[in-house]
Short mmCIF file of all heavy atoms in Angstrom, two decimals:
data_model
loop_
_atom_site.label_atom_id
_atom_site.label_comp_id
_atom_site.label_asym_id
_atom_site.label_seq_id
_atom_site.Cartn_x
_atom_site.Cartn_y
_atom_site.Cartn_z
N PHE A 7 69.02 10.94 262.28
CA PHE A 7 68.56 10.82 263.68
C PHE A 7 68.64 9.36 264.08
O PHE A 7 68.14 8.49 263.37
CB PHE A 7 67.15 11.41 263.82
CG PHE A 7 67.20 12.90 263.69
CD1 PHE A 7 67.18 13.50 262.44
CD2 PHE A 7 67.39 13.69 264.81
CE1 PHE A 7 67.30 14.88 262.31
CE2 PHE A 7 67.52 15.06 264.69
CZ PHE A 7 67.48 15.66 263.44
N GLY A 8 69.29 9.09 265.22
CA GLY A 8 69.58 7.71 265.59
C GLY A 8 70.85 7.23 264.90
O GLY A 8 71.00 6.05 264.58
N ALA A 9 71.79 8.18 264.70
CA ALA A 9 73.01 7.89 263.93
C ALA A 9 73.90 6.84 264.59
O ALA A 9 74.65 6.14 263.91
CB ALA A 9 73.81 9.18 263.71
N THR A 10 73.81 6.71 265.92
CA THR A 10 74.70 5.78 266.61
C THR A 10 74.17 4.34 266.61
O THR A 10 74.85 3.42 267.07
CB THR A 10 74.92 6.23 268.08
OG1 THR A 10 73.62 6.44 268.67
CG2 THR A 10 75.71 7.52 268.15
N GLY A 11 72.95 4.14 266.11
CA GLY A 11 72.35 2.80 266.13
C GLY A 11 72.67 2.00 264.88
O GLY A 11 73.47 2.42 264.03
N SER A 12 72.03 0.85 264.80
CA SER A 12 72.29 -0.08 263.71
C SER A 12 71.94 0.53 262.34
O SER A 12 72.75 0.53 261.41
CB SER A 12 71.46 -1.35 263.98
OG SER A 12 71.46 -2.20 262.90
N ILE A 13 70.73 1.10 262.22
CA ILE A 13 70.32 1.72 260.95
C ILE A 13 71.16 2.98 260.70
O ILE A 13 71.60 3.23 259.57
CB ILE A 13 68.82 2.09 260.99
CG1 ILE A 13 67.98 0.81 261.04
CG2 ILE A 13 68.43 2.96 259.81
CD1 ILE A 13 67.87 0.04 259.76
N GLY A 14 71.37 3.76 261.75
CA GLY A 14 72.16 4.98 261.60
C GLY A 14 73.56 4.70 261.09
O GLY A 14 74.07 5.38 260.19
N SER A 34 72.25 12.58 265.39
CA SER A 34 71.79 12.43 266.78
C SER A 34 72.07 11.04 267.32
O SER A 34 72.20 10.09 266.55
CB SER A 34 70.28 12.73 266.90
OG SER A 34 69.51 11.53 266.80
N GLY A 35 72.17 10.97 268.64
CA GLY A 35 72.39 9.69 269.31
C GLY A 35 71.75 9.74 270.68
O GLY A 35 71.06 10.70 271.03
N GLY A 36 72.02 8.70 271.45
CA GLY A 36 71.50 8.64 272.81
C GLY A 36 72.66 8.60 273.78
O GLY A 36 73.30 9.62 274.05
N ARG A 37 72.97 7.39 274.25
CA ARG A 37 74.01 7.25 275.29
C ARG A 37 75.41 7.06 274.71
O ARG A 37 76.40 7.19 275.43
CB ARG A 37 73.67 6.06 276.20
CG ARG A 37 72.32 6.17 276.83
CD ARG A 37 72.25 5.63 278.25
NE ARG A 37 71.02 6.12 278.88
CZ ARG A 37 70.94 7.24 279.58
NH1 ARG A 37 72.02 7.95 279.82
NH2 ARG A 37 69.79 7.63 280.08
N ASN A 38 75.49 6.69 273.46
CA ASN A 38 76.81 6.41 272.89
C ASN A 38 77.50 7.70 272.40
O ASN A 38 77.56 8.00 271.20
CB ASN A 38 76.66 5.41 271.73
CG ASN A 38 77.97 4.75 271.37
OD1 ASN A 38 79.05 5.29 271.66
ND2 ASN A 38 77.90 3.60 270.75
N ILE A 39 78.01 8.46 273.38
CA ILE A 39 78.58 9.77 273.09
C ILE A 39 79.87 9.63 272.27
O ILE A 39 80.13 10.42 271.34
CB ILE A 39 78.87 10.52 274.42
CG1 ILE A 39 77.56 10.74 275.18
CG2 ILE A 39 79.61 11.84 274.16
CD1 ILE A 39 76.54 11.58 274.47
N ALA A 57 70.11 12.65 273.00
CA ALA A 57 68.75 12.73 273.53
C ALA A 57 68.75 13.03 275.03
O ALA A 57 67.73 13.44 275.58
CB ALA A 57 68.02 11.42 273.27
N HIS A 58 69.89 12.83 275.69
CA HIS A 58 69.92 12.90 277.16
C HIS A 58 70.62 14.17 277.65
O HIS A 58 71.84 14.33 277.45
CB HIS A 58 70.62 11.65 277.70
CG HIS A 58 70.00 10.39 277.17
ND1 HIS A 58 68.76 9.95 277.57
CD2 HIS A 58 70.43 9.51 276.24
CE1 HIS A 58 68.45 8.84 276.91
NE2 HIS A 58 69.45 8.55 276.10
N LEU A 83 66.61 18.01 269.92
CA LEU A 83 66.40 17.08 268.80
C LEU A 83 65.41 17.68 267.80
O LEU A 83 65.62 17.62 266.59
CB LEU A 83 65.82 15.75 269.31
CG LEU A 83 66.80 14.70 269.82
CD1 LEU A 83 66.04 13.51 270.39
CD2 LEU A 83 67.72 14.23 268.70
N SER A 96 65.20 8.89 259.70
CA SER A 96 64.54 8.78 260.99
C SER A 96 64.81 7.39 261.55
O SER A 96 64.12 6.43 261.20
CB SER A 96 63.03 9.01 260.80
OG SER A 96 62.32 8.66 261.97
N ALA A 97 65.85 7.26 262.37
CA ALA A 97 66.25 5.93 262.86
C ALA A 97 66.46 5.91 264.37
O ALA A 97 67.24 5.13 264.89
CB ALA A 97 67.50 5.46 262.14
N ILE A 98 65.74 6.82 265.06
CA ILE A 98 65.67 6.71 266.52
C ILE A 98 64.79 5.50 266.79
O ILE A 98 63.87 5.21 266.03
CB ILE A 98 65.05 8.00 267.11
CG1 ILE A 98 66.07 9.14 267.00
CG2 ILE A 98 64.58 7.80 268.55
CD1 ILE A 98 65.54 10.50 267.43
N VAL A 99 65.05 4.77 267.88
CA VAL A 99 64.18 3.63 268.20
C VAL A 99 63.05 4.10 269.12
O VAL A 99 63.28 4.91 270.02
CB VAL A 99 64.99 2.46 268.81
CG1 VAL A 99 65.58 2.81 270.17
CG2 VAL A 99 64.14 1.20 268.91
N GLY A 100 61.84 3.67 268.84
CA GLY A 100 60.72 3.95 269.72
C GLY A 100 59.96 5.23 269.39
O GLY A 100 60.29 5.94 268.44
N ALA A 102 60.04 7.97 270.64
CA ALA A 102 60.85 9.19 270.71
C ALA A 102 61.20 9.71 269.32
O ALA A 102 61.59 10.87 269.17
CB ALA A 102 62.12 8.92 271.51
N ALA A 120 62.79 4.77 259.02
CA ALA A 120 63.04 3.45 259.62
C ALA A 120 62.19 3.32 260.89
O ALA A 120 61.76 2.24 261.24
CB ALA A 120 64.51 3.29 259.95
N ASN A 121 61.97 4.46 261.55
CA ASN A 121 61.25 4.48 262.83
C ASN A 121 59.77 4.14 262.62
O ASN A 121 58.90 5.01 262.54
CB ASN A 121 61.41 5.88 263.47
CG ASN A 121 60.66 6.02 264.77
OD1 ASN A 121 59.61 6.65 264.84
ND2 ASN A 121 61.18 5.43 265.83
N LYS A 122 59.49 2.83 262.55
CA LYS A 122 58.12 2.37 262.27
C LYS A 122 57.16 2.78 263.38
O LYS A 122 55.97 2.93 263.16
CB LYS A 122 58.10 0.86 262.06
CG LYS A 122 58.54 0.04 263.25
CD LYS A 122 58.75 -1.43 262.87
CE LYS A 122 60.13 -1.68 262.35
NZ LYS A 122 60.41 -3.02 261.89
N GLU A 123 57.71 2.98 264.61
CA GLU A 123 56.86 3.35 265.73
C GLU A 123 56.11 4.66 265.45
O GLU A 123 54.99 4.86 265.95
CB GLU A 123 57.69 3.47 267.01
CG GLU A 123 58.38 2.16 267.44
CD GLU A 123 59.78 1.97 266.83
OE1 GLU A 123 60.10 2.63 265.82
OE2 GLU A 123 60.56 1.16 267.37
N VAL A 146 61.77 2.68 254.97
CA VAL A 146 63.10 2.05 255.07
C VAL A 146 62.99 0.63 255.63
O VAL A 146 63.87 -0.20 255.42
CB VAL A 146 64.05 2.92 255.94
CG1 VAL A 146 65.36 2.21 256.23
CG2 VAL A 146 64.34 4.24 255.22
N ASP A 147 61.90 0.34 256.31
CA ASP A 147 61.70 -1.04 256.73
C ASP A 147 61.80 -1.90 255.46
O ASP A 147 61.21 -1.56 254.43
CB ASP A 147 60.30 -1.18 257.34
CG ASP A 147 60.31 -1.94 258.64
OD1 ASP A 147 61.33 -2.58 258.92
OD2 ASP A 147 59.32 -1.89 259.37
N SER A 148 62.51 -3.01 255.53
CA SER A 148 62.80 -3.74 254.28
C SER A 148 61.52 -4.22 253.60
O SER A 148 61.41 -4.17 252.37
CB SER A 148 63.74 -4.91 254.55
OG SER A 148 63.18 -5.75 255.51
N TRP A 199 69.17 -11.58 260.65
CA TRP A 199 69.43 -10.14 260.59
C TRP A 199 70.27 -9.70 261.79
O TRP A 199 70.08 -10.20 262.90
CB TRP A 199 68.12 -9.36 260.64
CG TRP A 199 67.22 -9.49 259.45
CD1 TRP A 199 66.21 -10.39 259.27
CD2 TRP A 199 67.20 -8.66 258.28
NE1 TRP A 199 65.58 -10.16 258.08
CE2 TRP A 199 66.16 -9.12 257.44
CE3 TRP A 199 67.96 -7.56 257.85
CZ2 TRP A 199 65.87 -8.54 256.20
CZ3 TRP A 199 67.66 -6.98 256.62
CH2 TRP A 199 66.64 -7.47 255.81
N VAL A 200 71.15 -8.70 261.56
CA VAL A 200 71.87 -8.06 262.67
C VAL A 200 71.21 -6.70 262.88
O VAL A 200 71.25 -5.85 261.99
CB VAL A 200 73.37 -7.88 262.32
CG1 VAL A 200 74.09 -7.20 263.47
CG2 VAL A 200 73.99 -9.22 261.99
N MET A 201 70.59 -6.50 264.05
CA MET A 201 69.79 -5.28 264.26
C MET A 201 70.00 -4.80 265.70
O MET A 201 70.65 -5.46 266.49
CB MET A 201 68.29 -5.58 264.06
CG MET A 201 67.97 -6.23 262.74
SD MET A 201 66.21 -6.55 262.51
CE MET A 201 65.95 -7.97 263.58
N GLY A 202 69.40 -3.66 266.03
CA GLY A 202 69.45 -3.17 267.40
C GLY A 202 68.76 -4.16 268.34
O GLY A 202 67.97 -5.00 267.92
N GLN A 203 69.07 -4.03 269.65
CA GLN A 203 68.56 -4.99 270.63
C GLN A 203 67.03 -5.06 270.65
O GLN A 203 66.44 -6.14 270.66
CB GLN A 203 69.07 -4.59 272.03
CG GLN A 203 68.68 -5.59 273.10
CD GLN A 203 68.93 -5.05 274.51
OE1 GLN A 203 68.48 -3.97 274.88
NE2 GLN A 203 69.66 -5.80 275.30
N ARG A 204 66.37 -3.90 270.62
CA ARG A 204 64.93 -3.89 270.82
C ARG A 204 64.20 -4.55 269.65
O ARG A 204 63.31 -5.37 269.85
CB ARG A 204 64.43 -2.45 271.05
CG ARG A 204 65.10 -1.79 272.25
CD ARG A 204 64.59 -0.38 272.47
NE ARG A 204 63.24 -0.37 273.00
CZ ARG A 204 62.93 -0.50 274.29
NH1 ARG A 204 63.89 -0.63 275.18
NH2 ARG A 204 61.68 -0.48 274.69
N ILE A 205 64.57 -4.20 268.43
CA ILE A 205 63.88 -4.78 267.28
C ILE A 205 64.21 -6.27 267.16
O ILE A 205 63.39 -7.06 266.69
CB ILE A 205 64.20 -4.01 265.97
CG1 ILE A 205 63.36 -4.56 264.80
CG2 ILE A 205 65.65 -4.00 265.63
CD1 ILE A 205 63.51 -3.78 263.50
N ASN A 214 57.43 -7.14 266.16
CA ASN A 214 57.96 -6.37 265.04
C ASN A 214 57.06 -6.54 263.82
O ASN A 214 56.75 -5.57 263.12
CB ASN A 214 59.39 -6.82 264.73
CG ASN A 214 60.00 -6.02 263.60
OD1 ASN A 214 59.91 -4.80 263.58
ND2 ASN A 214 60.59 -6.70 262.63
N GLU A 218 54.72 -3.88 261.78
CA GLU A 218 54.85 -3.72 260.31
C GLU A 218 53.52 -3.85 259.58
O GLU A 218 53.31 -3.21 258.56
CB GLU A 218 55.85 -4.75 259.77
CG GLU A 218 57.27 -4.40 260.15
CD GLU A 218 58.28 -5.44 259.72
OE1 GLU A 218 57.92 -6.36 258.96
OE2 GLU A 218 59.44 -5.32 260.13
N MET A 263 70.27 -4.27 255.61
CA MET A 263 69.45 -3.06 255.60
C MET A 263 70.01 -1.96 254.70
O MET A 263 69.32 -1.00 254.38
CB MET A 263 69.27 -2.54 257.04
CG MET A 263 68.26 -3.33 257.84
SD MET A 263 66.65 -3.51 257.01
CE MET A 263 66.08 -1.82 256.97
P1 LIG B 401 69.35 0.80 267.71
O1 LIG B 401 68.93 0.46 269.09
O2 LIG B 401 70.53 0.13 267.12
O3 LIG B 401 69.59 2.39 267.60
C1 LIG B 401 68.64 3.29 268.09
C2 LIG B 401 69.12 4.71 267.96
O4 LIG B 401 68.21 5.57 268.67
C3 LIG B 401 70.49 4.95 268.58
O5 LIG B 401 71.09 6.02 267.90
C4 LIG B 401 70.13 5.35 270.01
O6 LIG B 401 71.17 6.05 270.66
C5 LIG B 401 68.93 6.24 269.75
N1 LIG B 401 68.03 6.35 270.87
C6 LIG B 401 67.70 5.41 271.78
N2 LIG B 401 66.77 5.89 272.64
C7 LIG B 401 66.53 7.16 272.27
C8 LIG B 401 65.67 8.19 272.77
N3 LIG B 401 64.87 8.00 273.83
N4 LIG B 401 65.66 9.39 272.14
C9 LIG B 401 66.43 9.60 271.07
N5 LIG B 401 67.29 8.68 270.55
C10 LIG B 401 67.31 7.47 271.15
O7 LIG B 401 68.06 0.59 266.80
P2 LIG B 401 67.97 0.18 265.26
O8 LIG B 401 68.94 0.98 264.45
O9 LIG B 401 67.95 -1.29 265.15
O10 LIG B 401 66.49 0.66 264.91
C11 LIG B 401 66.17 2.03 264.70
C12 LIG B 401 64.77 2.13 264.13
O11 LIG B 401 64.75 1.49 262.86
C13 LIG B 401 63.71 1.41 264.98
O12 LIG B 401 62.50 2.11 264.88
C14 LIG B 401 63.57 0.05 264.31
O13 LIG B 401 62.31 -0.52 264.51
C15 LIG B 401 63.77 0.46 262.85
N6 LIG B 401 64.26 -0.62 261.99
C16 LIG B 401 65.46 -1.22 262.25
C17 LIG B 401 65.92 -2.26 261.45
C18 LIG B 401 67.27 -2.87 261.68
O14 LIG B 401 67.67 -3.73 260.88
N7 LIG B 401 68.00 -2.52 262.70
C19 LIG B 401 65.12 -2.76 260.34
C20 LIG B 401 63.91 -2.02 260.10
C21 LIG B 401 63.49 -1.00 260.91
P3 LIG B 401 72.34 5.30 271.54
O15 LIG B 401 72.56 3.95 270.91
O16 LIG B 401 73.50 6.24 271.37
O17 LIG B 401 71.83 5.22 272.94
#
Side-chain angles (χ1 to χ4, degrees):
F7 289 85
T10 52
S12 170
I13 293 284
S34 94
R37 304 216 164 269
N38 197 338
I39 298 299
H58 306 289
L83 275 175
S96 169
I98 288 174
V99 66
N121 178 256
K122 62 191 87 183
E123 298 89 342
V146 172
D147 227 346
S148 57
W199 292 92
V200 179
M201 307 181 285
Q203 184 192 53
R204 301 181 73 84
I205 185 175
N214 182 47
E218 288 176 10
M263 283 308 294

